[in-house]
Amino acid sequence: MSEFDAYLFQKLEEVEQAGLRRSLRVLESAQGAEVKIDGRSLLNFSSNDYLGLANHPALAKAAGEALATFGTGAGASRLICGTSRLHEDLESAIARFKKTEAALSFSTGYAAAVGAIPAIVSSEDVVILDKLCHASLVDGARLSGATIRVFPHNNLEKLRSHLEWARREHPQGRVLVVVESVYSMDGDLAPLADIVSLKEHHGAWLMVDEAHGVGVLGAKGQGLVDLLGLTDRVEIQMGTLGKALGSAGAYLCGSAILRDYLINRSRSFIYSTAPPPYVAAAAQAAVELLETETGQGLVTRLRDNIHRFAEEAGCESPTAIFPIVIGDEREAMAAAGALLEAGFLVPAIRYPTVSRGSARLRIVVTATHSAEQISFLAKTLRELD
């Protein structure tokens, strides 16, 4: 073993001793309510494919037609030769769906976050984040060079205090507040209307990550911002194309000026090869599907399944995410192992995804789960207690 590999081995051993080592599971099937791992069929309650669109024939058809016409790759960044009509059509569909002037797509949610925040604020400015914001948002804030302040999760008084401090200590700086609409590990909602009022009172801007809100909340699944009628009062909305929309990539949406500005200033957009056109076609098909009666049926079925699991498992969540907080990392791993033995894929979520001592099972209900599958999980959880 080389000195380099010996060093890495030692560090991995430390991770192992802390009960935090991870490994990849290889799926032998398509994504869905049931998956196959190591030749064994498991009921999948871990996926963010909330509406089951990752396997929907409308998306597969759109991707297949685009693949036959446009091939497998975009060729370069979009500012060189990588923009196809499909990228533009996708962004028009997103803007229409989200009721904004414009949208811009990115290869991943991480790229959207680390591309947007450093483009908008810099070392003279302040970024204020909720403590439970996704790592990509935190990293985007760090890369910006702005002064960072973090407020305890959904704590409006501390957010107010940070806003007052920012205006007092950085009177000439810009202030950007960053929150999520739905928090991915807890499934709870941001008090978004109050946050909007606070940022407006203090002359700040707001960026809302709707990664886990789109497809779940809102009249047609447009997310929490739309549900609360706040679209015109949120400067930047971010979302993913790889969760409820069943494809891959992410987007930022807002004003037409925001889109043009990001095209010129977002490093992760400028210096990344464009996503494959067939991926954009699949995402567009998903957005357009949600605007149909078929799409609305999926949203309704998801909400019915959320209610069914909450009732049968004796827990509540405003979204499809149901956390069962265990605390100890090894105990969480043992609980996940017991569920695996019973036929369920529900991995343990541990540090650094969540804070130390708050390891949990993260159960996700989707539109494609049957009533029988949901009842089976609820019964199994009761027996494990």
Side-chain angles (χ1 to χ4, degrees):
M1 185 181 295
S2 69
E3 181 182 349
F4 174 72
D5 283 346
Y7 168 78
L8 299 182
F9 180 81
Q10 177 188 342
K11 290 300 179 182
L12 277 175
E13 283 295 294
E14 293 173 6
V15 173
E16 178 76 36
Q17 292 301 315
L20 299 175
R21 187 163 182 171
R22 291 160 166 77
S23 60
L24 296 174
R25 290 187 174 92
V26 178
L27 291 182
E28 299 161 354
S29 63
Q31 185 60 235
E34 293 187 44
V35 294
K36 183 174 286 187
I37 298 176
D38 294 331
R40 184 181 176 206
S41 292
L42 299 169
L43 295 180
N44 182 13
F45 281 90
S46 65
S47 174
N48 295 321
D49 182 25
Y50 297 119
L51 300 175
L53 295 187
N55 268 320
H56 197 281
L59 275 68
K61 180 175 183 290
E65 292 175 352
L67 183 63
T69 302
F70 294 94
T72 60
S77 71
R78 290 175 65 182
L79 287 170
I80 297 177
C81 70
T83 286
S84 77
R85 170 52 53 188
L86 297 183
H87 295 123
E88 299 288 326
D89 290 347
L90 167 62
E91 289 157 357
S92 294
I94 292 170
R96 182 183 67 249
F97 181 67
K98 292 290 290 180
K99 302 177 185 177
T100 60
E101 286 185 356
L104 187 66
S105 59
F106 288 74
S107 56
T108 66
Y110 206 100
V114 300
I117 298 175
I120 292 164
V121 293
S122 62
S123 59
E124 304 301 315
D125 306 317
V126 178
V127 178
I128 304 175
L129 304 105
D130 186 289
K131 181 176 176 59
L132 296 188
C133 275
H134 191 268
S136 63
L137 299 169
V138 175
D139 288 353
R142 289 172 173 167
L143 286 170
S144 74
T147 299
I148 297 174
R149 288 291 181 269
V150 177
F151 61 97
H153 180 50
N154 281 346
N155 188 319
L156 293 172
E157 285 307 309
K158 195 62 177 178
L159 171 58
R160 184 196 311 275
S161 174
H162 283 335
L163 285 165
E164 291 172 350
W165 173 88
R167 280 294 165 228
R168 183 175 63 251
E169 299 298 325
H170 298 263
Q172 305 304 315
R174 296 160 293 185
V175 181
L176 177 66
V177 178
V178 181
V179 300
E180 300 181 25
S181 62
V182 176
Y183 286 89
S184 61
M185 292 299 118
D186 290 79
D188 61 339
L189 308 181
L192 205 52
D194 291 329
I195 291 172
V196 168
S197 296
L198 278 173
K199 69 95 179 176
E200 289 177 343
H201 180 74
H202 292 87
W205 299 330
L206 178 62
M207 178 175 178
V208 179
D209 181 4
E210 287 262 49
H212 296 272
V214 167
V216 180
L217 303 172
K220 293 184 178 180
Q222 295 103 322
L224 184 61
V225 173
D226 177 74
L227 177 64
L228 299 177
L230 299 172
T231 300
D232 293 337
R233 299 170 66 188
V234 175
E235 284 76 13
I236 313 164
Q237 292 188 59
M238 175 177 153
T240 179
L241 303 170
K243 295 182 174 63
L245 295 179
S247 184
Y251 63 85
L252 295 163
C253 61
S255 67
I257 293 174
L258 171 66
R259 180 181 190 271
D260 192 37
Y261 181 83
L262 291 170
I263 289 172
N264 285 275
R265 295 298 300 274
S266 171
R267 292 174 64 85
S268 63
F269 177 85
I270 295 168
Y271 299 110
S272 291
T273 297
Y278 68 88
V279 172
Q284 181 185 346
V287 172
E288 293 176 346
L289 181 66
L290 283 187
E291 298 177 304
T292 68
E293 185 176 338
T294 298
Q296 288 311 289
L298 291 172
V299 174
T300 298
R301 180 174 174 81
L302 172 62
R303 291 170 181 168
D304 289 345
N305 281 350
I306 291 170
H307 176 74
R308 178 178 289 109
F309 180 75
E311 189 173 70
E312 295 193 22
C315 52
E316 291 294 332
S317 175
T319 65
I321 301 165
F322 291 82
I324 299 178
V325 179
I326 294 173
D328 181 78
E329 282 77 11
R330 294 187 181 279
E331 290 181 13
M333 288 291 289
L339 284 174
L340 189 66
E341 285 297 313
F344 298 95
L345 180 59
V346 182
I349 307 296
R350 298 162 290 158
Y351 178 84
T353 306
V354 295
S355 59
R356 291 187 185 276
S358 65
R360 67 197 60 192
L361 302 176
R362 178 183 181 269
I363 294 170
V364 183
V365 176
T366 72
T368 54
H369 286 119
S370 67
E372 292 75 19
Q373 290 169 339
I374 290 171
S375 296
F376 184 26
L377 176 59
K379 176 176 178 291
T380 303
L381 288 171
R382 289 193 300 271
E383 290 172 349
L384 289 178
D385 283 344

